[in-house]
Amino acid sequence: MATGYEQWLEMASKQMKGKSPDTLNWKSPEGITVKCMYHEDDLKGLESLSMFPGMAPYTRGPMATMYAGRPWTIRQYAGFSTAKASNEFYRKNLAAGQKGLSVAFSLSTHRGYDSDNPRVSGDIGKAGVAIDSIEDMKILFDGIPLDQMSVSMTMNGAVIPILAMWIAAAEEQGVKQEELQGTIQNDILKEYLTRNTYIYPPEPSMRIVSDIMAYSSKNMPKYNTISISGYHIMEAGADSVLQCAFTLADGVEYVRAALKSGMDIDTFAPRLSFFFGVGMNFFMEIAMLRAARYLWYKLMQQFNPKKPQSSMLRTHVQTSGWSLTEQDPYNNVIRTTIEAMSAVLGGTQSLHTNSFDEAVCLPTELSARIARNTQIIIQEESQICRVADPMGGSYYVEWLTNQIVQEAEKIINEIEEMGGMAKAIASGMPKMRIEESAARRQARIDQGKDVIVGVNKYRLKDEKMDFDILEVPDSVRLEQIDRINHIKKTRDNAKCQACLDAITKAAAGKENLLGAAIDAAKARATVGEISDAMEKVFGRYVATTQCVSGAYSSEYSEASSDSAQVIEALRKRTADFLAKTGRRPRILVTKMGQDGHDRGIKVVASSYADLGFDVDISPMFQTPDEAAKMAIENDVHVVGASSLAAGHKTLVPELIQKLKEQGAGEILVVTGGVIPPSDYQFLYDAGCKGIYGPGTPITESAGKVMDMIEAQYCK
């Protein structure tokens, strides 16, 4: 008698007119071959079947009852413009049901610059709240009781001055350090991998991490001293296996750094937390979160912890920003809902849901409300919270969890053989793997292999942006500068300088940097001054820039396909240009301002190189003047400026003007990234020749750039 599985095979083959169901198998970006159906035979030998929530290795969740006992924390990430504006926004959100705060800081603040620094003229308050001193921090949390409110702060580069100012502001509010709750990200390793908001070289940066962990463990027992972030690794282009492996490897590196500094594993490990991103592969993201908990437990056993909490992975999750589209933007509401569901079913402890308009601008009050209510509705209406780990026992999810465990383990073991994550980062391996993954993903989207509704399929013919755009005015910078000037005039400058000198002395010695910085914050030292006091000893880190080759074009493997013909046509055009002019079309890809997200420029650079362009990539954080000089020195035909953090209306026109001033007005300037369509005409009027928003296929933008270059240089 045939088994149930054999009967299914027969039925499936008939339905498929004799074809094997194996023809429905597909390979995920992680390299995992996924079948169309799973059953109990796929789970033979898996220990997960005997696991329960709240029990090691915590695959099914860190708490026994999970959301049936306590739902996840709704922790929306927000901050923009001034401290006053952000405070008003926070208060409204808390009144509407948000349970915790997650602070987004200005890019200038991330990089340790005060708002009056000329390098950050286009960055102030555009992608987060600008904090220059304790006075800004006091305004930010005015009326918000810090002895009751859990506060998460995404800060890594300028983590010492920002955490110091928060602690000092709380004390001036009457809150003791031991009462403070929340999380500081304090994850510098991923900055060298993806987000690039570092200040100092890796070694002193790791010293900063351990100093914060040591100080907080002693003085702030309720505070999470580090949030090890996979979110930015995902946003930079990593698939779920890479995100899981690199994030956990970062975590192991921090544990070793803390142990090396003399800390006890059970003193700091229970306060470690993680931060993962989830995208649109629904079951893959659920499985990734479950696999991460399992792997972290296993990895922690080498350090012989005695407390169960020391091996328990707790995580915040954020839905993907990269998956949001400028085209047909209301689709983003559905995308965020799906991603939120995967985070919840994966067992997160807190969650941020992105707003639908973030592909083009900062979230408005309306879009932020929709994003927040997405979580509230899941919590209050779906009944999902009634059962602990409802996905436990799913043939597919359990099998997929095990696959991610196996694949991530391979990468973690590879990193261990290299000597740990710090050495792996120094070798460039993780960054190159992430960039390769991003390039391959873009190629699949450009070909339509990976469907993005409204972008490469079911696209609207005529589309207008029919929602409000939030724009941060340039006057924010002037307001911040006025407050800095007032502070410097009214403080005890001698006392302040003595505190700054103490920080420099601590940086050169072994005194705890956070303790010294708290004293400086109370003396009204600024973020820039505290950062500079450490920079005198540590120096400022400058990364080398490179890109992968061949990853984008390798996805166009079918020589007869229409997509492959597009690639070959573009390669012929660049070759013809070489024959006519004696050189290839040359483009400088640059990221001006303090935004460190480099996925866009890396994907563009690597794909354009595959198409036959000579490609130069500028160092990160250039000023328009520096970008113009590099364009002239490298004798490029076109500059491609990437924008993500709302600085385009300041930085792109300034770049065009600097080229003209230096006698190179013939160099074409194009731009791309997160730019509201309402700003397009402003940029065209300023002299920008092409604008390519999110969702633009690389082949389309490259074709249009070649049109411009040929018209300009092949007359």
Side-chain angles (χ1 to χ4, degrees), residues 19-65:
K19 292 182 179 179
S20 169
D22 289 346
T23 59
L24 298 175
N25 295 354
W26 66 283
K27 183 168 281 189
S28 75
E30 294 77 11
I32 297 171
T33 299
V34 179
K35 301 187 295 183
C36 74
M37 195 280 292
Y38 290 85
H39 63 116
E40 62 185 4
D41 288 355
D42 293 298
L43 305 187
K44 285 182 178 178
L46 292 188
E47 60 179 306
S48 59
L49 299 180
S50 60
M51 296 175 186
F52 293 89
M55 296 172 61
Y58 309 109
T59 308
R60 300 193 64 186
M63 305 300 169
T65 58

Side-chain angles (χ1 to χ4, degrees), residues 341-362:
M341 290 287 290
S342 68
V344 169
L345 294 173
T348 188
Q349 278 62 71
S350 67
L351 178 61
H352 167 93
T353 36
N354 287 329
S355 300
F356 73 85
D357 51 0
E358 288 185 70
V360 294
C361 64
L362 287 167

Side-chain angles (χ1 to χ4, degrees), residues 85-330:
S86 294
N87 174 263
E88 292 171 355
F89 190 75
Y90 293 161
R91 288 197 191 190
K92 286 181 181 179
N93 286 355
L94 292 170
Q98 186 173 311
K99 302 300 183 184
L101 293 177
S102 183
V103 182
F105 293 97
S106 176
L107 294 166
S108 53
T109 305
H110 274 287
R111 293 272 291 151
Y113 294 117
D114 289 334
S115 297
D116 58 358
N117 192 298
R119 296 197 68 85
V120 299
S121 60
D123 297 302
I124 309 302
K126 298 293 178 65
V129 59
I131 298 292
D132 292 310
S133 73
I134 186 177
E135 296 299 334
D136 289 332
M137 194 69 79
K138 288 171 70 175
I139 295 168
L140 185 64
F141 292 103
D142 182 44
I144 298 172
L146 292 177
D147 56 341
Q148 302 172 34
M149 182 60 58
S150 173
V151 177
S152 173
M153 293 186 287
T154 300
M155 179 53 63
N156 301 287
V159 63
I160 286 287
I162 288 299
L163 184 55
M165 287 174 186
W166 183 69
I167 293 169
E171 289 186 341
E172 294 190 8
Q173 195 185 82
V175 180
K176 298 177 181 177
Q177 292 187 22
E178 58 265 30
E179 296 176 300
L180 292 172
Q181 304 175 62
T183 304
I184 189 75
Q185 191 162 96
N186 196 27
D187 176 8
I188 198 63
L189 288 176
K190 69 97 171 84
E191 298 297 334
Y192 302 111
L193 281 177
T194 57
R195 193 161 174 255
N196 298 304
T197 55
Y198 42 71
I199 300 175
Y200 313 111
E203 188 173 346
S205 293
M206 288 296 290
R207 185 271 182 89
I208 288 171
V209 170
S210 57
D211 272 14
I212 290 172
M213 292 171 73
Y215 185 94
S216 301
S217 297
K218 182 179 179 181
N219 299 288
M220 302 158 65
K222 297 180 181 179
Y223 197 69
N224 299 317
T225 54
I226 188 170
S227 177
I228 303 147
S229 175
Y231 176 81
H232 298 103
I233 294 173
M234 177 196 73
E235 288 291 281
D239 59 50
S240 294
V241 166
L242 290 174
Q243 181 187 182
C244 183
F246 291 155
T247 305
L248 298 182
D250 279 349
V252 171
E253 193 78 6
Y254 293 128
V255 169
R256 287 175 176 150
L259 292 173
K260 188 178 178 182
S261 71
M263 298 177 68
D264 177 74
I265 186 72
D266 290 310
T267 300
F268 68 87
R271 306 312 307 172
L272 299 177
S273 68
F274 286 80
F275 173 24
F276 286 99
V278 291
M280 284 297 291
N281 192 342
F282 184 74
F283 291 105
M284 188 71 71
E285 308 297 16
I286 295 170
M288 178 195 66
L289 295 174
R290 302 172 94 250
R293 288 193 293 270
Y294 174 91
L295 283 166
W296 184 246
Y297 173 82
K298 296 292 186 183
L299 287 166
M300 287 298 286
Q301 300 317 297
Q302 64 188 294
F303 305 113
N304 300 312
K306 295 179 178 61
K307 293 181 179 179
Q309 295 86 348
S310 297
S311 306
M312 188 184 294
L313 184 147
R314 297 165 300 113
T315 189
H316 172 74
V317 171
Q318 181 172 341
T319 60
S320 173
W322 184 84
S323 70
L324 304 177
T325 65
E326 174 188 292
Q327 300 83 0
D328 212 354
Y330 291 112

Side-chain angles (χ1 to χ4, degrees), residues 477-541:
R477 184 170 186 252
L478 300 177
E479 184 178 332
Q480 290 297 122
I481 292 172
D482 285 344
R483 191 175 293 114
I484 292 171
N485 291 337
H486 178 73
I487 287 168
K488 290 182 177 180
K489 287 179 182 177
T490 56
R491 71 188 181 185
D492 184 335
N493 280 299
K495 181 181 178 181
C496 182
Q497 188 57 55
C499 290
L500 292 171
D501 291 342
I503 292 173
T504 302
K505 184 179 178 182
K510 294 183 178 180
E511 184 183 345
N512 192 284
L513 287 164
L514 180 56
I518 292 171
D519 292 337
K522 292 176 179 177
R524 271 50 189 173
T526 67
V527 167
E529 289 172 330
I530 295 173
S531 298
D532 289 346
M534 291 184 284
E535 189 178 335
K536 288 178 180 179
V537 178
F538 297 154
R540 185 170 279 265
Y541 182 71

